[in-house]
Amino acid sequence: MARSITWLHLSDLHCCPSKTGYDADQVLSSLRDDLRKLHERHGLRPDLVFFTGDAAYGRIGKGGDLESQLEEAALFFQEVLGVYPDPIPAENLFLVPGNHDIDRREVRPAETTWLEQLAAAYSIEPVTAMIRDASPAWQDYMRRLGAYRDFLEVAGLPHLLQDKERLVFSHVREIQGLKVGIAGLSSAWSCRGTGSDEKNKLWLGGDWQINEIYRTLRHTDLRICLVHHPINWFIPAEDPALQSDFENCFHFHLHGHEHTSWVTASGAYTRIAAGACYDRSDKSNGYNIVRLDLDAGRGEVWLREYKREGRGWRGNEIPGKTDALGVWPLPSLGWLPGRAKPVDTKPELPQPPAPEKPAPAGAPGPESRGVFGRRKDIQALADALVKKPIGLVYGLSGIGKTSLIGEVGHTAAHQNRVFHRIAAFPGLQVEALFQMLAPALGSREERPTLLGVGGQVSFSQLAAWARKAQPCLIHLERAHELFSGQGFLDHRIGEFLQAIAQHAPQARVILESRQQPPDKLLPERNLVVRRIQGLGAEAVEEFFRRPFPDSPEVGWSLQADEAARIYSRLGGDEKGVNSAHPFGMGLLATVARGLNTTPLEVLARHEAKLLEELNDALFGDLFDDVLTTHETSILKTCSLYREGLAIPDLHVETLSRQAGDKGDAFQGLVRRCIITPGPNQEHYYLHALLAKLARQRFAADGEEFRLAHEMVADAWLSRLKLSQRPTLANIVATREALYHLAQAERFDRLAEITASLLDKGVVPFLEDLQRRLFDQRRFKEQKDVLALWVALEEDNHKAHRFLAEAIERLERRGADEALRHYEIALRFMPAYPQYLASFGRCLLARGEEARLLEHVRAMDAGDRRNALADDVFFSVYSACVARSGQPEEASRLRQERIAAGSRNAACYNDEALYLHRNGDTAGALRVVELAGKNHAVDDYTLAIKAQILGESGQPEEASRLRQERIATGSRNAAFYAEEALYLHRKGNTAGALEILDRAERDHATAELTASIRKTILGRR
């Protein structure tokens, strides 16, 4: 499927039930219907929902009705989020205030006069300083937005209260691999009333608002700004600079206020003006949906307008701008990261390195630790890190980056630093990275956290830690997981590294990456970047003379031409454009040693193979001819550790014991330099390329693979037997144990996972896992996974609903625990039809249907209409009405639906059964016929028709109908069961058994068909 980013843009709701409720309901309920239609017909399901101001109508008359207007608006937003089968999370709803959202009683004449004087004098700095400092004067202006601020709190939108003092926000959401930055600006703080006389008189304070927000979002891939007022409503003193600021800082600029739908696009900047989603039904009402097709590189704005004549919405066709559906095409998205761009394919031609003189044998240089040909690179990086606190080393996997970085710690400038080796992983956020680096930076806290005002990241602890911290050198592996071609995926990581540079002078950080970083990843004053390439022929000769530091007696003295041949086979060439790959050199030496032969003789076994094939072949020699059985077993098991994660020393005993070994095999891999020990041998490392090659050696049947994953899970769990404290190490162990148990498909062991030692970073994994288990019909295991999810996210209504359904599948419909979770889900989404239907079915099973009726009666009229418009919920609701002693009322409700042309088959089915049971067979058959005319027939409808015909003296007609359905391959077991019984009663037992056999072939068997088969066979 094409990758896309989609958002819904609403504005100007003007919610006021007491004034316009009678009129607004028809517009807004049909708006929700229109959203459903666009989703069903065109796949328009928003990732984000934006609202650009005027949620309320405003305080009118006497009394405080602004609060009730905002409460009503909150319900509207909740309904919009719940329109889709997979509701949009509330954290993806973003609002900014408009002029109607202010409390006009809090507007002071003196405040207005002061702003007018500054505007007349073109004096911007006093306003900038007031907003920047959030001074007492600023707090006076913010009083008029007090009710709006309270509304955000009550509506459960804490992410919009990121800066409570100013009501601006900046958030990042990752969608389709892109970092989407969302900026919310406040243009309402200087408003005085309804806005009719405020054009060119409003202040934004854009000099502070835009630049402060952009500072936090500048490294995102796509930036979207929300503000209520268009630029031409601000004072002339601000106007000239604002347009260029918006264009330079944001890709999309969304606003409302003027109730006009329009798109202005130029290059990488697009401004979209939203119509009012409700003004009055006889006025112009509009909204829009934007979809960006990332693969095709194009975007489109779907403009919608309300037509009072048809009481519905349609495309807003603008001649020369949109097509007939109201779709306004956007310019090419070639500027968007992730789009294919032409690249310069001319190869880089580095100068071949000058020959390096080998260090004397036994000298404590890089060569004594098996690192050859790197002295200049090592010293250059070490010297640069004296001047700059952060280094970034990039190059191919296996090119020797890790060993080079390790050698920097042995140089004179850095040998007194404590060395720390840490690995990044996909999706790493700044909070987790902060915890990982905190001990190296001097923290003594068990679980350091980032605590900032309004939820903002704060690095204030760094300076305090630095006063007592030891000098350190931090090696951050897999740094390519942290950035894209545009910058850091989590922009706060860049801020964290800059904070280290500023506040932690004792620290030096080296990022190791397989990818070249983008320009200006960090300020040049803080960052040095070095590319690492392969080795020259001279280094190859020196390496093979003594390739194993711990076994100096093992090696081969190569002639110059022999070294040149090996250099050429391992990727080098005469021009120095390509150079020898250290990973292949190490693999070749290990195989030659294990086979007790020479490197050239090993290469002769694979004469025709190129470099990549050669590495695979050399690993095959190593695996098949050199390693012992226990060593291959341990190596394969260790290859399952997720890339970048070290193997803790504590695991060695567990892995060895489970492999039937005493630890000799693991140490044998260490001696062969296949597994390398870290500092103090507290951790061990397996190179990513070796791990990849080892994983490929697992048998195709998967059983060995699953057992090995379980061994790794046991190794991680062994740590938790010693301590259950919520330390970072224990959280990592719990996360990894969960991952490996899932890979081993040992879901029966999920009870061993302690939810309190998981963090929310595993939620996407749990959500995907429970979906996979559901598809496999492994409901017990799915329930265990959902229990972990709910424990991590107690406020996730979707998780509670899924857990309730899993409980009912395993226990019974109406189970107490299931009801409890349905009730929790409804607390968050009290009017969501799907949740109401599940809740109602649960209550029906318990005989407590009156509770659903009470819940529906207590709902707002608009919510009630919306819920009952849903066919699934209506069926449940009408069943509850009937079961509560009002069967005639339930019949009346169904008849109303049927008369309106409903296509809900359940409505017809229930009514037909009701009429038939009450002796009105003719009426029941009329209802079935109406179902056919209204295209609302399902298999159950036809089964009911056959039942009615059979019980009303027309058994042959009923049989004919069943036979027709069976001939089409129906999977409704009732057809087969009833027809088999009918034939058996007529004495055609063979025909009855043939029907039951057909049911098995058509996968239409059930307990009923099995029971009938036993009955027939018993009577034979």
Side-chain angles (χ1 to χ4, degrees):
M1 293 180 64
R3 297 180 306 126
S4 65
I5 295 176
T6 306
W7 67 76
L8 166 63
H9 180 194
L10 303 169
S11 194
D12 297 82
L13 177 62
H14 307 129
C15 199
C16 185
S18 63
K19 183 178 178 67
T20 60
Y22 71 98
D23 187 47
D25 278 349
Q26 62 174 307
V27 177
L28 298 178
S29 62
S30 61
L31 188 154
R32 295 190 290 272
D33 291 337
D34 193 51
L35 293 174
R36 291 190 191 93
K37 180 177 70 175
L38 291 175
H39 175 232
E40 293 166 2
R41 297 182 183 177
H42 303 286
L44 289 171
R45 191 274 186 190
D47 302 296
L48 306 162
V49 177
F50 300 137
F51 182 82
T52 49
D54 280 0
Y57 183 86
R59 197 177 295 282
I60 54 177
K62 297 181 179 179
D65 61 351
L66 181 59
E67 291 78 6
S68 65
Q69 294 169 18
L70 291 168
E71 287 174 9
E72 191 72 12
L75 293 174
F76 169 75
F77 294 131
Q78 186 182 68
E79 289 170 355
V80 168
L81 297 178
V83 156
Y84 303 94
D86 182 15
I88 300 169
E91 57 266 26
N92 284 352
L93 168 64
F94 299 89
L95 292 73
V96 292
N99 52 286
H100 280 265
D101 299 321
I102 69 166
D103 189 341
R104 302 173 203 165
R105 300 177 310 180
E106 296 293 342
V107 177
R108 305 287 187 266
E111 296 163 358
T112 300
T113 300
W114 184 66
L115 289 177
E116 288 175 344
Q117 290 171 347
L118 291 175
Y122 275 64
S123 179
I124 295 176
E125 179 54 32
V127 173
T128 300
M130 177 182 68
I131 300 175
R132 181 193 64 217
D133 301 333
S135 66
W138 172 254
Q139 302 306 322
D140 291 337
Y141 287 98
M142 289 301 293
R143 278 199 313 270
R144 61 190 72 176
L145 282 166
Y148 178 86
R149 179 162 42 200
D150 293 341
F151 146 69
L152 296 179
E153 192 91 51
V154 173
L157 302 171
H159 59 294
L160 305 183
L161 291 167
Q162 188 182 61
D163 185 344
K164 289 186 177 181
E165 292 183 321
R166 302 175 183 86
L167 291 180
V168 298
F169 57 78
S170 61
H171 289 288
V172 180
R173 298 289 184 262
E174 182 167 353
I175 304 173
Q176 297 291 357
L178 295 182
K179 293 293 183 181
V180 180
I182 300 139
L185 307 182
S186 174
S187 64
W189 65 269
S190 67
C191 293
R192 288 162 273 170
T194 61
S196 59
D197 61 344
E198 294 182 328
K199 194 165 187 176
N200 297 129
K201 298 180 181 178
L202 296 179
W203 282 83
L204 177 64
D207 191 47
W208 185 88
Q209 287 201 50
I210 294 177
N211 289 296
E212 177 65 14
I213 293 295
Y214 177 72
R215 186 178 65 83
T216 65
L217 297 179
R218 64 182 181 275
H219 292 306
T220 53
D221 303 312
L222 171 63
R223 291 181 293 279
I224 305 167
C225 175
L226 317 180
V227 64
H228 180 62
H229 291 90
I231 291 176
N232 59 349
W233 281 71
F234 300 115
I235 61 166
E238 282 200 280
D239 196 358
L242 282 181
Q243 184 61 52
S244 60
D245 282 347
F246 278 108
E247 290 188 19
N248 291 329
C249 296
F250 303 105
H251 302 112
F252 286 87
H253 169 193
L254 315 183
H255 69 78
H257 188 64
E258 290 186 332
H259 304 185
T260 301
S261 297
W262 196 256
V263 180
T264 304
S266 175
Y269 171 78
T270 300
R271 183 171 70 250
I272 302 176
C277 62
Y278 176 71
D279 188 351
R280 285 203 317 260
S281 62
D282 58 345
K283 289 287 190 79
S284 175
N285 299 295
Y287 74 93
N288 65 77
I289 295 182
V290 175
R291 178 163 61 187
L292 307 182
D293 186 331
L294 303 181
D295 294 326
R298 58 174 178 261
E300 51 193 18
V301 184
W302 293 63
L303 300 179
R304 308 297 288 173
E305 65 174 354
Y306 178 81
K307 295 300 290 183
R308 186 179 188 184
E309 293 81 358
R311 295 179 181 265
W313 295 74
R314 68 176 188 181
N316 182 4
E317 183 179 1
I318 301 176
K321 299 295 183 182
T322 76
D323 62 15
L325 292 176
V327 179
W328 188 314
L330 295 176
S332 167
L333 302 179
W335 51 268
L336 191 63
R339 295 287 311 131
K341 296 184 178 71
V343 295
D344 184 3
T345 57
K346 184 178 180 181
E348 184 178 348
L349 299 174
Q351 296 298 317
E356 298 183 36
K357 295 182 179 180
E367 297 78 10
S368 68
R369 292 176 289 274
V371 181
F372 295 86
R374 296 297 193 197
R375 281 183 173 258
K376 290 178 66 175
D377 289 331
I378 294 166
Q379 196 58 52
L381 181 58
D383 292 345
L385 285 170
V386 172
K387 302 175 183 178
K388 298 182 179 183
I390 302 171
L392 190 148
V393 173
Y394 74 96
L396 296 174
S397 181
I399 207 70
K401 303 183 295 295
T402 300
S403 56
L404 183 147
I405 292 169
E407 285 301 316
V408 171
H410 292 287
T411 60
H414 303 287
Q415 62 185 352
N416 293 325
R417 297 183 183 277
V418 180
F419 191 86
H420 300 270
R421 186 172 173 180
I422 296 165
F425 52 84
L428 180 65
Q429 299 289 301
V430 72
E431 292 84 359
L433 182 63
F434 183 80
Q435 290 184 359
M436 293 161 67
L437 267 58
L441 297 172
S443 171
R444 298 296 177 263
E445 300 172 35
E446 188 172 81
R447 193 176 179 185
T449 58
L450 290 170
L451 300 175
V453 176
Q456 292 285 338
V457 171
S458 171
F459 308 115
S460 58
Q461 305 99 311
L462 295 179
W465 293 347
R467 288 192 285 271
K468 300 179 181 179
Q470 290 180 287
C472 65
L473 181 62
I474 301 172
H475 173 192
L476 182 57
E477 293 184 275
R478 296 179 57 79
H480 50 269
E481 302 287 6
L482 304 179
F483 57 78
S484 68
Q486 302 302 308
F488 284 107
L489 298 175
D490 180 350
H491 67 91
R492 300 170 301 167
I493 287 179
E495 295 170 6
F496 177 31
L497 293 173
Q498 291 185 62
I500 293 175
Q502 181 179 356
H503 301 299
Q506 83 288 357
R508 292 295 183 268
V509 181
I510 305 179
L511 310 177
E512 179 186 340
S513 169
R514 294 179 195 165
Q515 300 172 12
Q516 181 176 354
D519 293 338
K520 299 180 181 179
L521 181 68
L522 289 169
E524 189 176 347
R525 66 180 181 276
N526 293 333
L527 178 68
V528 57
V529 177
R530 290 284 183 271
R531 179 185 179 188
I532 304 302
Q533 297 178 281
L535 299 174
E538 297 81 4
V540 171
E541 182 179 346
E542 288 303 316
F543 170 79
F544 281 100
R545 185 173 296 159
R546 200 184 68 172
F548 306 106
D550 294 335
S551 302
E553 72 283 0
V554 179
W556 300 270
S557 294
L558 303 175
Q559 299 298 319
D561 62 326
E562 294 175 322
R565 284 168 58 193
I566 294 176
Y567 167 75
S568 175
R569 289 297 308 280
L570 295 178
D573 60 28
E574 294 180 0
K575 297 179 180 179
V577 174
N578 299 305
S579 45
H581 202 275
F583 174 79
M585 292 165 55
L587 193 53
L588 177 59
T590 301
V591 173
R593 179 187 185 184
L595 296 178
N596 196 26
T597 185
T598 68
L600 283 171
E601 289 173 335
V602 173
L603 287 176
R605 297 166 60 137
H606 311 290
E607 193 62 43
K609 291 183 171 63
L610 299 176
L611 180 59
E612 186 173 345
E613 296 174 311
L614 180 59
N615 283 339
D616 291 346
L618 290 174
F619 183 80
D621 290 342
L622 173 71
F623 196 89
D624 298 331
D625 301 330
V626 175
L627 301 182
T628 69
T629 301
H630 279 134
E631 286 173 341
T632 59
S633 176
I634 290 291
L635 176 58
K636 287 163 66 179
T637 301
C638 289
S639 74
L640 299 180
Y641 281 78
R642 289 205 269 188
E643 190 175 349
L645 280 178
I647 304 167
D649 178 58
L650 181 65
H651 291 194
V652 175
E653 181 182 349
T654 303
L655 295 177
S656 299
R657 183 177 65 254
Q658 292 183 335
D661 186 66
K662 297 180 180 179
D664 296 337
F666 191 93
Q667 293 306 321
L669 294 172
V670 174
R671 286 192 299 273
R672 297 181 193 277
C673 299
I674 294 171
I675 290 177
T676 56
N680 304 319
Q681 295 192 341
E682 293 179 354
H683 295 86
Y684 294 86
Y685 296 88
L686 176 62
H687 196 283
L689 289 177
L690 277 172
K692 177 183 176 182
L693 293 168
R695 281 195 299 275
Q696 294 171 354
R697 289 283 168 156
F698 278 104
D701 61 16
E703 182 61 26
E704 181 192 16
F705 179 77
R706 289 191 291 272
L707 288 173
H709 267 295
E710 187 171 8
M711 289 170 62
V712 178
D714 284 330
W716 285 111
L717 288 170
S718 66
R719 175 184 181 87
L720 302 175
K721 294 176 182 177
L722 304 177
S723 168
Q724 291 279 327
R725 288 161 49 204
T727 62
L728 180 60
N730 284 349
I731 290 170
V732 170
T734 306
R735 179 191 69 206
E736 294 306 306
L738 171 65
Y739 167 78
H740 289 287
L741 285 177
Q743 296 300 308
E745 298 187 5
R746 287 302 307 270
F747 303 108
D748 56 309
R749 296 186 58 187
L750 290 180
E752 299 176 44
I753 301 298
T754 305
S756 62
L757 291 180
L758 290 174
D759 57 23
K760 291 189 177 183
V762 304
V763 165
F765 173 76
L766 292 175
E767 185 170 7
D768 179 70
L769 181 57
Q770 71 85 19
R771 190 180 298 114
R772 181 153 50 99
L773 291 169
F774 175 81
D775 291 340
Q776 297 173 6
R777 303 187 67 79
R778 301 176 67 164
F779 300 131
K780 168 64 172 66
E781 294 91 340
Q782 184 208 16
K783 174 178 171 288
D784 293 337
V785 173
L786 286 166
L788 288 174
W789 184 5
V790 166
L792 283 172
E793 290 193 319
E794 295 179 357
D795 57 351
N796 190 310
H797 53 84
K798 183 168 66 173
H800 281 285
R801 176 207 173 183
F802 289 162
L803 179 55
E805 291 173 347
I807 291 168
E808 288 191 312
R809 276 191 294 269
L810 290 170
E811 298 180 17
R812 59 180 174 79
R813 178 80 78 181
D816 292 347
E817 189 65 9
L819 178 61
R820 185 175 74 84
H821 287 289
Y822 282 135
E823 289 172 334
I824 294 172
L826 275 175
R827 281 184 219 151
F828 296 102
M829 298 285 286
Y832 189 43
Q834 290 187 20
Y835 291 3
L836 288 168
S838 297
F839 178 57
R841 282 190 289 261
C842 182
L843 293 174
L844 277 169
R846 297 168 63 89
E848 300 174 10
E849 51 278 344
R851 288 184 56 190
L852 179 69
L853 305 184
E854 292 171 7
H855 183 92
V856 172
R857 279 196 294 270
M859 289 168 59
D860 170 84
D863 287 341
R864 189 183 309 116
R865 279 195 302 273
N866 181 58
L868 290 174
D870 181 83
D871 285 342
V872 175
F873 175 61
F874 177 80
S875 296
V876 174
Y877 174 76
S878 61
C880 286
V881 172
R883 285 272 297 274
S884 66
Q886 305 174 70
E888 297 85 1
E889 175 63 13
S891 174
R892 186 189 66 78
L893 292 172
R894 289 191 295 265
Q895 290 284 0
E896 282 184 359
R897 278 296 172 90
I898 292 170
S902 170
R903 293 193 176 184
N904 179 11
C907 189
Y908 296 84
N909 299 341
D910 292 345
E911 185 61 15
L913 278 177
Y914 168 76
L915 294 173
H916 178 57
R917 288 167 184 162
N918 281 273
D920 187 2
T921 300
L925 289 173
R926 280 197 300 273
V927 167
V928 172
E929 292 304 318
L930 270 175
K933 291 180 181 178
N934 292 337
H935 306 288
V937 173
D938 61 12
D939 257 7
Y940 191 39
T941 314
L942 297 175
I944 290 170
K945 182 177 181 180
Q947 176 188 345
I948 294 172
L949 291 171
E951 294 176 0
S952 61
Q954 303 178 65
E956 295 83 4
E957 182 63 18
S959 174
R960 186 192 63 78
L961 180 59
R962 288 192 295 265
Q963 289 282 1
E964 283 182 358
R965 297 307 298 160
I966 290 170
T968 64
S970 170
R971 292 193 177 184
N972 184 349
F975 286 124
Y976 298 83
E978 292 293 333
E979 186 61 16
L981 272 179
Y982 171 73
L983 293 174
H984 178 60
R985 288 169 185 153
K986 289 186 66 176
N988 186 2
T989 302
L993 290 173
E994 183 181 340
I995 288 291
L996 294 175
D997 291 340
R998 176 70 183 267
E1000 290 188 8
R1001 292 196 302 272
D1002 291 344
H1003 306 288
T1005 54
E1007 291 182 11
L1008 179 60
T1009 53
S1011 174
I1012 290 173
R1013 182 184 290 276
K1014 288 180 181 179
T1015 300
I1016 293 173
L1017 292 173
R1019 290 179 182 173
R1020 279 180 89 184

